[in-house]
Amino acid sequence: MSVDREDIEKLGELARIDISDENAKSSVKSINDVLALVEQLQAADTANIEPLANPLEARQRLRPDEVSETNRREEFQAIAPATEEGLYLVPKVIE
Amino acid sequence: MHNLTLAELSAGLDAGQFSSVEVTQHFLARIKRLDGNYNSFITVTEERALAQASKADKQRSADADSVSALCGVPIAHKDIFCTAGVRTSCGSKMLDNFVPPYDATVVENLAAAGVVVLGKTNMDEFAMGSSNETSYYGPVKNPWHSDCVPGGSSGGSAAAVAARLTPAATATDTGGSIRQPAALCGITGLKPTYGRVSRWGMIAFASSLDQGGPMARTAEDLALMLNHMASFDTKDSTSSEQSVPDYCAGLSQDISGMTIGVPEEYFGEGLNPVTEQAVNAALAELEKQGAKLKAISLPHSHLSVPAYYVIAPAEASANLSRFDGSRYGYRCENPVDLRDMYMRSRSEGFGDEVKRRILVGAYCLSAGYYDAYYNKAMQIRRLIKEDFVSAFRDVDMIAGPTCPNPAFEFGAKGDDPVAMYLEDIYTIATNLAGLPGMSLPCGLVDDKPVGLQLIGNYFDEGRMLNVAHRYQQASDWHSRCAPGID
Amino acid sequence: MTWETVIGLEVHTQLATKTKIFSGASTAFGAEPNTQACAIDLAMPGTLPVLNAEAVRMAVMFGVAIDAEIGLISAFERKNYFYPDLPKGYQTTQLEKPIVLEGKVDIQLDDGRTKTVRIHHAHLEEDAGKSLHEDFHGMSGIDLNRAGTPLIEIVSEPDMSSPEEAVAFAKKLHALVVSIGICDGEMAQGSMRFDVNVSVRKKGEALGTRTETKNLNSFRFMERAIEQEVERQIDLLEDGGSVVQETRLYDGDTHTARSMRSKEEANDYRYFPCPDLLPVEIDQAYVDAVRASLPELPEARRARFVESYGLSAYDAGVLSDEPATATYFEAVAGQCGDAKLAANWVMGELAARLNSEDQLIQHCPVSAEQLAALIARIVDKTISNKMAREVFSAMWAGEGEPDTIIEARGLKQVSDSGAIEGMVDEVIANSSKQVENYRQADESKRPKMLGYFVGQIMKASKGQANPQQVNEVLLQKLNALL
C-alpha cells in the first residue's frame, strides 16, 4: 500500500495538518517508507486471533457519581489564547 | 558530591554530612556551568528547588525518622510530566507557553516524598524519537560523545544523569524511550509494567504503551525512585490496583537458581558485534552468580516494530488532536477562519516527526484501512504478548541487548525514519506486551556505553532490580564516568 | 401515486447524573460559562477519563425498561473530528460494543392500535460543549460546561411511517426515561434531542435515499421538520430529481432546515478503541438488581389506573404518562376519596391552568393535598363545582387552604332542606304572576321558566343554596300547584 500526494493532502485535511508545497514531496516519501515497514504485518497469519487493545486486559473501574471538581475557570483561562466573558474565543464557527 | 548516588546522598542527608540546600545548590551550579554543553534541561527551577530544599531540611531536622529516603534529594522531571506552575513543553513549540495548573501523579507522589526538583529535562517532541533530535529546544548531546545522540525520547533525563547534573530523573517509555537513552548514555533505567506508574498528568503519546519510570546510575537508586513513583491511582483507569512492594527490600537477594531466558531473535542479524560481545560478557557474569541461561524463542519479534508503528501513531493521532489552538498552547497569528486556525496552529506548532506520525496514524485508522492496519496490528500485539507469556512459563527473566548499536552521530538517520525506528527493535515488544523492561550499563565500546536489557514478568520489577543490583555489585560499568566529567 | 414514508430516530438523552461521564465536574444546568468544565472536560494535556458508575447504571436501567439485551461487556471508542465544542478532537462513544442491544418500545396510535418500534441499540457517550454565535469581534465563544455530560444515544429501527408515529414514539421515550428517573426530560434545556432519518418510497419499492435532520429539541419542531422533509423529498422525486444523502440542520427560529454537508464530503471518523478506558464488564446479577429497582413503567401504571381507579383507558393514559402527573393524581385521588372527580380536576381545571401559565406540575402552586381537600368539599356537598373553581383560583393565587377560603368568602352551600324549602316558599309567595304564567304554560315550555325561580332563590341565598336541591324542591312545590 502506498500513498500519493493527493492521499496525503486528504489525510492532512482529516488531521488538520497543512501539507504545504515545500515539504509535500518529502512527506510522501517518508510516509511511504513507514507504510512499507508496516506492510510486513500483512505476511503474518492472524486468523482467529482476538485483537489486544490493552496489554493487561483489565476491566474498567467505575467512579462514584460525586462532584469532586470546583470552579477553576480563572486558572484555566489564564493560559488560554483568547477568552471573553468566561468563554473561549475561536474564529467564527460556521455550520 | 555529584558523584554520589541517590542512596548515598540520602544517607549523607540522614547523617547530616550536608544539607539539602547545599546539595541542591551544588547541582544547580553544575547545571548552570555545564548544561550549555549538553542541553539536557529545558527549564531549570532554581528558586523553587531551593525553597523545596530548605523545606526538606526543616522536615529532616524536625523529624528525621519519619521522612522518606528521598526527602531533600534533588531530581529532575522529564518535561512530559505536568508540573503546576512550571512550564511543561513536551519538547514542542506547541506547548512552549503551557504552564499547567495541575501536577502529574508522579510529580505529586515524589513531592510528597520531599524531593527537590531541579528542573524539566529535554526530550524528543511529544516523546516521538530515538535521538532527541526532534526537540523544539534543540538536540541533547551525549555526554560521552558530543557529536553523538543521547538516544530518545528521554535523552535529556539520560544525559543529565550521565553528566552528573542530577542524581536521578523521571522519564517515560512508549517503545524504548527510557531504556534506549539509558543504554546510550551509560546509565540505568527502568520501564515498569504498564499500569504500575500512573499516567495522570503525563502528556500522552500512545496511551496503551506509555509508561513512566525512573532513570539513575544504579539499580538501587531506581528502587528508591520507584518506591515513590509507583502507585495505584484512581484518576488513571489503566492504573493497576496491585499494592506497591518495597523495591529496595530484595535488592541483594541471591540470584542463583534463577533461570534467565536469552531470546535468539535478539541476537540475530542487525545486532552490532561489539554490542553482542558486551552483552554476552554480562550474561556470563549472571551465570557466574548462579543464574541459569536458557535459549528461548520469541517468534513474533520481527513484527513488533511494524505493529508498533501502526498502534503508536494511531493512538497519537487522536491524543494530539486536543492541541488545536483553542484553549491552551500555541495559536497561529491572525487566523482568518476556524479551519485556518486549526491548520496553521498545528502545522506551525508541531515538528516534522510529530506530523508524520499523526498522518501515518490517521492513515491506518481511515476508512478502508482499519482492518488491514490497525486491527491487524492489534492481533499481532496479542501474538507478541503470547510469545512472552509462554516464555515466562520456563524462565524467570529475559535478558539481551537494549539496542542494536551504541550511540550514533547526529543526523546519521536524519532522512530515514525507518532506520531510526529500527533502533528500538529490542525494546518495543515489551511495550506492546505491557511488560517491565530495564537497561543497565554492561560495557564500553570506543568510549560508547552498551546496555544490557532485562525483561521481567508482569509486576516483577523487584526481581529485575535484584538481578541488576547483583550485577552492579560485581561490575563497575555503571560507575564509569564520561570523559571530561569530573 | 402513493408515497410511503420511512422514519427512524436517534435520540440523544442526557442522563440525570450529578457529574460528567468521565469527570467529577457538576452537570447542573445554567451555570456561568466554563465554570463546570474541569481539566478533563477541557482536554488539558495529561488528563484521563474515569467512567461514572451512575451513567452505567442508568444506561442499563434504560435497557431493562425496553426489554433489551444488555451488553455485559461494552467498550468505548474514539470518534475523531475537529470542532470547537469538542475539546479532545474526538468524542468518546460506543460503536462496536454498545451497552444496550436490541429492544422495543410500543406506541399507541390515534386509531387505538398499538405499534412496536424496534430499538437497534443504545450507547453511552459524552455530550459536546456549546458554540455561542453572538459576535465577539468576529469570533465565536465556546462554553464547555456541557462537554462530558453523559448521554445515551437511542437508535431506533426505521419503523415509523408518519410524523405522528414519530412524535408518538418520541413522547413515549420521553415519558419512559423520565419515569425511570434517568433523564430530567427538560426539552427546553436540551435534555432530549432528536435526529430524524427520513426517506420516502413508492409502495412496494426498495428503501429510498435518506436524509438526517439534526437538532430537533421539541416534539412540535420534530413533527414540522418531518412533514417538511417528506414534502421536499416527494417534490424532488416527482420532478424527476433525486434525494441526496445528507445531513440537514433544523432552525427552530425560521422553521426551516438546510443542508449541512453531504455524505460524499462527510468526515472519516477513524473510530478506534479508546486506550484510556478499558472494557466495561457487568454481570447478570448487576443487571438483575437494576431490573429489580425499576420503578413502575407508564404502561403498567396505566393498566393499574384503569383497574384500581376505574378510569377510562384514555384518562388513565393521560394521567400515567408523566410520572409527576401520575404521582400528583394518585395523591389527590387517595386523599379525596373520589378518583373520577380527582381525574377530572387534574386533567381539567389543573391541566388548563398549568398549560395557560406554562407551568410544570412539579412546580404547581396548588399541592395535591390542597386539591384533595378542595374536592372533598365538593364530595361532602359543602360547595358546588362552580364555587370550587372559584376556590381553586384563590388557592392558585396563594390565598391558602380551601376551608379557609370557603370560610373567608362565605361560600358554604346551603343544603339544609328546611332552609331551602323556606326560601322556595317565600319566592313562590312573592312571585304570584310568574307562578300563574307557569301554571298556564304548555308543559314543554315549563322547564325553561324555572330559571327565574332558581335565580330568585339563589339571589335570596346569596348563591349558597345547593342548586340541585333547589331544583328538586322547586319542581316539587310548583308542580303541587298545578
Side-chain angles (χ1 to χ4, degrees), chain B residues 102 199 201 237 319 327-328 342 367, chain C residues 42-43 45-46 49 78 87 268 276:
Chain B
Y102 48 89
R199 295 188 296 114
S237 297
N319 281 336
R327 300 167 307 285
Y328 48 78
Y342 285 151
Chain C
L42 295 171
R78 292 180 179 180
D268 177 348
D276 285 328

Side-chain angles (χ1 to χ4, degrees), chain B residues 265-282:
Chain B
E265 291 80 4
Y266 286 31
F267 289 83
E269 197 190 339
L271 177 62
N272 192 319
V274 296
T275 301
E276 181 168 9
Q277 213 176 348
V279 170
N280 280 333

Side-chain angles (χ1 to χ4, degrees), chain C residues 293-371:
Chain C
S293 74
L294 204 58
E296 186 180 39
L297 300 182
E299 214 128 86
R301 191 156 50 222
R302 193 180 51 160
R304 185 168 59 81
F305 281 10
V306 171
E307 176 84 4
S308 44
Y309 295 115
L311 302 183
S312 71
Y314 176 80
D315 288 359
V318 172
L319 291 169
S320 63
D321 249 10
E322 291 286 347
T325 308
T327 307
Y328 191 99
F329 161 71
E330 291 210 76
V332 177
Q335 289 171 42
C336 78
D338 186 332
K340 282 189 184 159
L341 203 48
N344 287 343
W345 271 84
V346 172
M347 290 165 61
E349 194 71 16
L350 183 78
R353 202 58 182 262
L354 288 168
N355 202 28
S356 72
E357 309 215 355
D358 206 13
Q359 186 76 270
L360 290 171
I361 198 161
Q362 290 91 316
H363 311 137
C364 181
V366 177
S367 72
E369 291 68 30
Q370 288 176 315
L371 182 57

